[in-house]
Amino acid sequence: MEIASGLLHGFAVALQPGNVFWCFVGCLLGTIVGILPGLGPAATIALLLPLTFKMDPAGGIIMLAGIYYGAKYGGSTTSILLNIPGESSSVVTCLDGYQMARKGRAGAALGIAAIASFVAGTVGVIGLTLVAPPVAAFALSFSSPEYFALMCLGLALVVLLSGTSLLKGLLSLLLGLWLTSIGTDLFTAQSRFIFGQATLLGGIDFMVVAIGVFAIGEVMSSVEAGEEAKVLPVPRGFRNLLPNAEELKACRFAFLNGSITGFLVGCLPGGGATISSFIAYGIEKAVSKHPEQFGKGAPEGVAAPEGANNADTGGALVPLLTLGIPSGGSTAIMLSALVLWGVKPGPLMMQESPDVFWGLVASMYIGNVVLLILNLPLVPLFAQILRLPVYVLFPVIFGISIVGAYGASGRIFDLGLLVGFGLLGYAMSKLKYPSAPLILGFVLGDAMERALRQSLMMSQGDLMTLVQRPISAIMLSLALVILLIPLFGWFNRLRVRAITENG
Amino acid sequence: MLRAFLKKGDVISGAVLAALGVFIITQALAWDYYTLDGPGPGFFPFWYGVAMVVLSLLLVLNAARTDSDGDKAGVDWPATGRAMTVWLAFALSVGLMDFLGFLISFALLAFFLVAVIFRRPFTTAAVVAVMSALAFHLIFPVALSVSLPTGPFGF
Amino acid sequence: MNRRELLVGTASALVAGAAGPAFAQFKPLRPIEFVVHGGPGSGNDVFARTLTTIIDQEKLLPVRMQVVNKPGGGSTSAAAYVVSKKNDPHVIACFTNIWLIDPMVQEAATNKLVDMSPIARLVVEPALVVVRADSQIKTLKEFIDAAKAKPGALKMSGGSITSRENTVRQLLMQLTGVRWAFISFPSGGERIAALLGGHVDLMIVDPSEAGEQVRAGKLRVIAQVNERRLPAFPDIPTIKEAGFDIPNVPQMRGVVGAPGMSTETIAFYEDLFLKASKTAGWQKFVNDSQLDGEFVKSAELKPFFAKFEGELREILKAAGAKVVR
């Protein structure tokens, strides 16, 4: 069979000592890049690009890819320990990961993140190996109506993220929608809500919002206790440093969910790891027998999004390698790299450059194993960060937040925004507004608006197109179902509460 | 007790959000709502502005409707005050970064946090401030070429 | 003029004359900042970094040149930064068309390209007009006819309303009196996916983005957007040759310096980039990226900016963009 022979050939290439070395280097760099906010995989790949000119293409792409998917492993570390997303797709991991750390299960959370990343990452590569062509065709069949329906499905998940007050969750979501529309409208070049600031023309950086609302907001809440502020409990004893059997068992479906969701959403050129991690989280919560645990430290709440953002890499490589279409910053640079090496990514790549193509695919299997081995032993090490006295940890959190917010754009203005969002995060937590819907709205709002306008432009104003197309109709119905069922429960609870309060 | 504050908080936040919603709607009306090519830049903002106004008014109504427990205790002001002091220190530190650079501004922030908020001795505060500032400086701008705000001294 | 002034004047003239060729008068003393308006990995960034690497390898500079990313608001952040470094001879930037366009359509973008010091234009980027290979349309004329038959029904994918592809579309629509829709997508990948998936009918795209699809037989090129035919596509007519005489709208990349640069400094940089553009490494890059590397010097660049800006303004107005400046 063509695939089997190709893969064997790939392993022959990937297992050459030089290439194994580059794989390891890439994975190590990727992990470091993922752990540190302010350093993104895209920027790192771009910086290392000139160095790779002297390398042979297979080794070069193996290393760059290692950085790309390695970063997804490391991104969960600060998310869990400090509530600071190390990477934009790790923001969902903060929701339950940090809560697990607060309950003393930091080690377990880190371990689950690593294991989920490994399982889903490997599934992603298997998908890339076996079903790349049909998945690529699926990705191409996705047009703007389908994207819109997907975003609606994602937004419908807000009802699952709102905790006790749906009203506040919705308001939080709307706030996120507003914040993401700040900037320049793609279709008309109309600037919206920029308050005369040229710096806002490009919109607000997601990391600034996420770090401000999550990390700074959390620090401010913790500081209320002053000198009695407690750090997170350090897991004691080897058994507590890694997930126990019960937690792993609970995550079985999450591993699968993360893998499939991440891979499928990842292969869409307009998709993204952040979107897929939100959807995986939402699906997990929707099918869970104890949804109220989510947001309070449910292990599945860590496994699903972490898996999704890793399977996403496999998915994103499908259009890149089979069609030459990048989906996102990192893959775009890898595309330039391939072009500069004379490898031509596109429909003919598999035939013309089997060394690079299959070598890369095979190296990803190896890379995922390397990363698991690299990350699991690091878990107890990282958990020790929690040993730092509170008066050292909190300044460090501020420092990391500043680096994270400043690193991407290099503008003091973004630090000012960080300060503002920190205050917003604190206010929201005092007033009991859930912050997850804000982030959800921010991530999805832009894409949803674009998809709707594109759909209407394509259909010349005909809204029916959204329900006439099968895939989009299915997803919209699902979104509706998700919105309605909990609503019955909510109305019921409101009714009951009103009765008991009045009675 | 907490509920009383929340109630008041809901009223205030609801009002603020309603005002924001109104602002959004007025801005949105200035742009094209629907053009030849489909919804314009004003379409979405208009609708989520409307939703914001409606929902926040609902929130205010809800909050005002349920009776107060008669308890005026409300907010734990010292605690909130501490949080706000930290926030102010952070804001000031960021403000200084443009002029003095990251190293000095961050060291000052760290010193303030350790000495004033966590009430540790001045020497501890100084050590933490200097060490952490140096660590950040060595790791990020020096080792990883990730730029941090610089002041007149080049760092 | 009294005798003293005459003496000083003559002495200075003698000194200036003895100083030698103009570019020897400027020597960079610090690392040079090469400002780019995209983030790491963006098209401009790769362009600038490749150029920097070549200059470094060929040892054309006594100091380091480093790429400084100033992303945000298209070109506005980068332009603002460059203008803020007025009179600093160590700050140069890589400009593209949007450095001209952004100040015209954005109220808040106040820094204009014509206020900066033009150094050189390095490349223009040609484009290809492509349809799917299984489409009925074989020539540009057939597309225009099809669009005439169904006004507004045919669709084209592209970037923002101010992008080059929309500019060409506007010019063609004005010339032929025909209308077809323009659907904006934020990334090149999504635009090509829309075409390949059959959701749009046409696309005007960089050869480097679509080249592989064309080679694999998935896309068909029906015209080229450039003054002359690309060597890789000798049989495809340019838009003019296909019978549609629209003005050429070059998509250019070049170098400008911070405002207030002296003529000697500009001459220094012009010479630097001229040398760089002649190296084998650069030629290879230009060929591999399917660019057109016609070097335009500083003296021609300034009047060109003014003229081109005027042309673009008219086109943008016709396209329905709100022109504020």
Side-chain angles (χ1 to χ4, degrees):
Chain A
M1 212 172 64
E2 214 186 278
I3 297 180
S5 66
L7 200 54
L8 275 171
H9 178 76
F11 272 110
V13 172
L15 286 170
Q16 289 166 11
N19 290 339
V20 171
F21 173 72
W22 290 124
C23 182
F24 180 76
V25 168
C27 291
L28 185 63
L29 277 173
T31 310
I32 296 175
V33 163
I35 292 175
L36 296 170
L39 219 58
T44 314
I45 295 177
L47 284 172
L48 293 176
L49 203 53
L51 286 173
T52 59
F53 286 164
K54 307 214 176 72
M55 292 166 60
D56 110 89
I61 196 70
I62 286 176
M63 181 183 86
L64 294 182
I67 299 177
Y68 176 49
Y69 57 82
K72 305 291 178 73
Y73 276 78
S76 51
T77 311
T78 46
S79 306
I80 292 170
L81 294 174
L82 303 171
N83 209 28
I84 303 178
E87 227 239 324
S88 50
S89 57
S90 311
V91 69
V92 187
T93 314
C94 293
L95 297 176
D96 276 85
Y98 184 66
Q99 297 306 318
M100 278 183 79
R102 289 182 78 184
K103 293 203 276 197
R105 305 292 303 154
L110 289 169
I112 290 178
I115 296 173
S117 300
F118 171 71
V119 171
T122 308
V123 169
V125 187
I126 295 177
L128 175 62
T129 315
L130 295 177
V131 294
V135 163
F138 164 76
L140 287 182
S141 72
F142 242 65
S143 177
S144 302
E146 282 77 31
Y147 278 107
F148 176 69
L150 183 67
M151 301 301 149
C152 283
L153 187 60
L155 284 181
L157 299 170
V158 66
V159 301
L160 302 170
L161 297 175
S162 302
T164 44
S165 172
L166 183 59
L167 208 50
K168 290 188 178 173
L170 286 173
L171 281 170
S172 186
L173 178 78
L174 290 172
L175 197 58
L177 289 181
W178 174 62
L179 288 170
T180 194
S181 67
I182 296 179
T184 310
D185 176 41
L186 174 68
F187 300 89
T188 58
Q190 171 74 51
S191 58
R192 298 193 291 189
F193 303 114
I194 61 167
F195 302 105
Q197 298 286 330
T199 8
L200 283 174
L201 279 174
I204 299 183
D205 192 328
F206 170 70
M207 284 300 265
V208 172
V209 179
I211 296 179
V213 171
F214 279 17
I216 308 281
E218 176 67 27
V219 165
M220 284 173 69
S221 296
S222 308
V223 177
E224 283 188 343
E227 40 191 304
E228 277 144 51
K230 284 200 209 27
V231 232
L232 307 182
V234 182
R236 288 189 195 292
F238 185 73
R239 252 182 322 156
N240 281 326
L241 280 173
L242 286 175
N244 58 38
E246 198 186 300
E247 285 163 338
L248 281 175
K249 198 163 142 243
C251 293
R252 278 171 321 172
F253 177 72
F255 293 143
L256 191 65
N257 169 17
S259 308
I260 298 183
T261 310
F263 183 70
L264 286 178
V265 177
C267 74
L268 302 173
T274 319
I275 293 176
S276 59
S277 53
F278 259 117
I279 293 183
Y281 183 84
I283 294 178
E284 192 63 31
K285 187 171 179 185
V287 304
S288 167
K289 294 211 175 29
H290 46 101
E292 67 289 344
Q293 289 285 351
F294 281 71
K296 300 202 176 67
E300 312 93 289
V302 174
E306 270 304 302
N309 73 23
N310 275 72
D312 178 272
T313 29
L317 286 174
V318 168
L320 179 68
L321 296 178
T322 57
L323 299 170
I325 297 179
S327 34
S330 307
T331 39
I333 307 171
M334 295 201 299
L335 181 71
S336 319
L338 287 170
V339 168
L340 288 169
W341 283 317
V343 175
K344 302 194 167 95
L348 300 172
M349 184 178 167
M350 220 188 289
Q351 287 121 295
E352 295 181 347
S353 315
D355 272 8
V356 179
F357 183 90
W358 288 113
L360 172 61
V361 173
S363 80
M364 286 176 74
Y365 288 101
I366 302 174
N368 273 298
V369 173
V370 167
L371 282 162
L372 186 67
I373 299 177
L374 207 58
N375 277 277
L376 271 182
L378 288 177
V379 164
L381 188 67
F382 284 129
Q384 302 308 313
I385 291 181
L386 299 176
R387 275 193 203 283
L388 282 173
V390 62
Y391 57 86
V392 176
L393 197 58
F394 278 29
V396 166
I397 293 180
F398 274 112
I400 297 182
S401 303
I402 292 172
V403 175
Y406 190 79
S409 63
R411 300 186 307 202
I412 293 277
F413 186 80
D414 281 350
L415 289 183
L417 286 177
L418 182 71
V419 172
F421 283 115
L423 187 62
L424 178 68
Y426 177 64
M428 282 174 75
S429 78
K430 293 300 294 179
L431 295 168
K432 302 260 181 289
Y433 281 80
S435 51
L438 178 92
I439 304 289
L440 180 66
F442 191 87
V443 169
L444 296 187
D446 223 12
M448 191 177 91
E449 178 184 11
R450 266 203 313 265
L452 181 64
R453 288 164 77 176
Q454 284 163 355
S455 305
L456 288 175
M457 280 188 212
M458 288 193 207
S459 68
Q460 293 177 277
D462 181 18
L463 254 179
M464 283 292 108
T465 183
L466 294 170
V467 292
Q468 279 165 351
R469 300 169 68 96
I471 304 182
S472 99
I474 294 175
M475 285 197 284
L476 281 174
S477 327
L478 265 173
L480 210 59
V481 164
I482 294 180
L483 276 173
L484 288 179
I485 291 186
L487 235 65
F488 285 131
W490 255 268
F491 282 136
N492 225 25
R493 246 170 281 169
L494 276 173
R495 230 172 22 97
V496 169
R497 200 176 73 183
I499 292 172
T500 48
E501 276 176 358
N502 289 332
Chain B
M1 167 173 67
L2 188 61
R3 198 121 33 132
F5 165 66
L6 270 182
K7 225 177 56 80
K8 215 167 65 138
D10 279 5
V11 170
I12 298 178
S13 63
V16 168
L17 285 173
L20 178 61
V22 169
F23 170 71
I24 293 175
I25 295 175
T26 42
Q27 292 279 300
L29 286 174
W31 306 319
D32 293 329
Y33 177 78
Y34 215 92
T35 66
L36 204 61
D37 295 316
F43 182 79
F44 252 61
F46 177 78
W47 286 111
Y48 62 69
V50 167
M52 205 182 270
V53 172
V54 167
L55 290 175
S56 50
L57 287 178
L58 254 175
L59 185 72
V60 173
L61 278 169
N62 249 355
R65 208 165 36 93
T66 51
D67 295 327
S68 116
D69 293 29
D71 197 322
K72 299 282 181 212
V75 174
D76 181 4
W77 288 112
T80 313
R82 226 169 279 135
M84 290 309 295
T85 317
V86 167
W87 181 79
L88 270 169
F90 180 47
L92 272 168
S93 167
V94 164
L96 282 173
M97 272 185 208
D98 212 5
F99 305 106
L100 295 178
F102 173 82
L103 200 71
I104 298 180
S105 316
F106 176 73
L108 286 171
L109 175 67
F111 183 83
F112 175 81
L113 284 174
V114 180
V116 178
I117 302 291
F118 293 112
R119 309 251 177 120
R120 289 300 194 274
F122 275 21
T123 24
T124 319
V127 167
V128 171
V130 170
M131 297 300 291
S132 54
L134 274 176
F136 274 108
H137 182 74
L138 286 173
I139 298 179
F140 289 100
V142 175
L144 298 172
S145 301
V146 175
S147 63
L148 286 176
T150 52
F153 312 108
F155 51 74
Chain C
M1 204 189 319
N2 63 26
R3 208 159 11 129
R4 187 140 171 264
E5 284 170 0
L6 186 59
L7 209 57
V8 171
T10 318
S12 346
L14 280 173
V15 169
F23 58 80
Q25 285 185 356
F26 171 68
K27 271 202 169 53
L29 303 163
R30 296 194 313 267
I32 295 175
E33 288 183 30
F34 196 8
V35 179
V36 154
H37 69 260
S42 62
N44 262 320
D45 179 73
V46 174
F47 184 86
R49 283 185 201 273
T50 313
L51 194 50
T52 310
T53 313
I54 288 176
I55 290 180
D56 190 55
Q57 280 169 349
E58 305 277 336
K59 302 206 189 336
L60 297 173
L61 268 182
V63 295
R64 243 176 6 113
M65 184 158 91
Q66 67 189 39
V67 171
V68 173
N69 298 90
K70 290 284 170 197
S75 65
T76 39
S77 299
Y81 180 76
V82 169
V83 165
S84 75
K85 296 285 181 179
K86 185 170 172 170
N87 293 325
D88 185 344
H90 297 89
V91 175
I92 56 176
C94 179
F95 74 85
T96 66
N97 286 27
I98 62 173
W99 289 61
L100 277 174
I101 293 175
D102 285 340
M104 285 197 274
V105 296
Q106 293 299 352
E107 191 75 62
T110 48
N111 299 297
K112 304 182 65 166
L113 191 63
V114 293
D115 296 332
M116 301 178 208
S117 316
I119 293 175
R121 194 183 81 182
L122 293 173
V123 295
V124 286
E125 299 168 3
L128 302 172
V129 183
V130 294
V131 295
R132 266 187 335 282
D134 58 16
S135 154
Q136 306 287 33
I137 293 170
K138 307 254 183 334
T139 66
L140 188 54
K141 182 167 182 319
E142 281 176 32
F143 177 78
I144 301 287
D145 291 339
K148 191 174 283 179
K150 293 191 275 185
L154 289 186
K155 300 166 280 235
M156 168 179 161
S157 65
S160 84
I161 197 178
T162 57
S163 64
R164 182 257 295 271
E165 46 273 23
N166 194 34
T167 313
V168 174
R169 166 181 170 262
Q170 280 303 316
L171 290 169
L172 276 174
M173 293 200 315
Q174 271 174 336
L175 183 71
T176 59
V178 160
R179 240 194 126 256
W180 66 91
F182 183 79
I183 320 269
S184 301
F185 291 89
S187 74
E190 286 174 83
R191 291 169 215 154
I192 295 195
L195 181 61
L196 286 172
H199 314 300
V200 298
D201 309 291
L202 183 86
M203 192 180 166
I204 295 179
V205 63
D206 287 352
S208 54
E209 280 186 73
E212 279 313 295
Q213 299 295 335
V214 172
R215 213 164 59 92
K218 298 274 169 51
L219 291 180
R220 175 189 305 134
V221 186
I222 58 177
Q224 309 190 32
V225 184
N226 200 29
E227 289 278 301
R228 45 188 192 216
R229 295 194 186 185
L230 283 173
F233 300 96
D235 305 319
I236 311 288
T238 65
I239 293 191
K240 261 203 190 99
E241 290 170 353
F244 299 94
D245 193 4
I246 54 171
N248 189 36
V249 180
Q251 173 104 314
M252 47 184 191
R253 262 195 247 261
V255 188
V256 285
M261 265 189 188
S262 68
T263 12
E264 297 84 38
T265 316
I266 294 182
F268 169 81
Y269 282 116
E270 189 189 75
D271 187 67
L272 168 72
F273 285 106
L274 184 60
K275 284 207 191 85
S277 71
K278 295 211 169 94
T279 63
W282 183 248
Q283 302 281 352
K284 179 172 185 306
F285 172 73
V286 167
N287 280 331
D288 284 346
S289 314
Q290 307 196 56
L291 300 170
D292 191 331
E294 195 192 319
F295 192 88
V296 173
K297 291 194 169 184
S298 167
E300 296 165 43
L301 205 53
K302 198 160 190 135
F304 173 76
F305 281 164
K307 176 164 156 296
F308 192 39
E309 190 187 51
E311 286 168 4
L312 280 175
R313 188 176 288 118
E314 292 312 311
I315 297 174
L316 286 173
K317 278 200 200 140
K322 288 199 178 64
V323 175
V324 301
R325 224 174 249 108

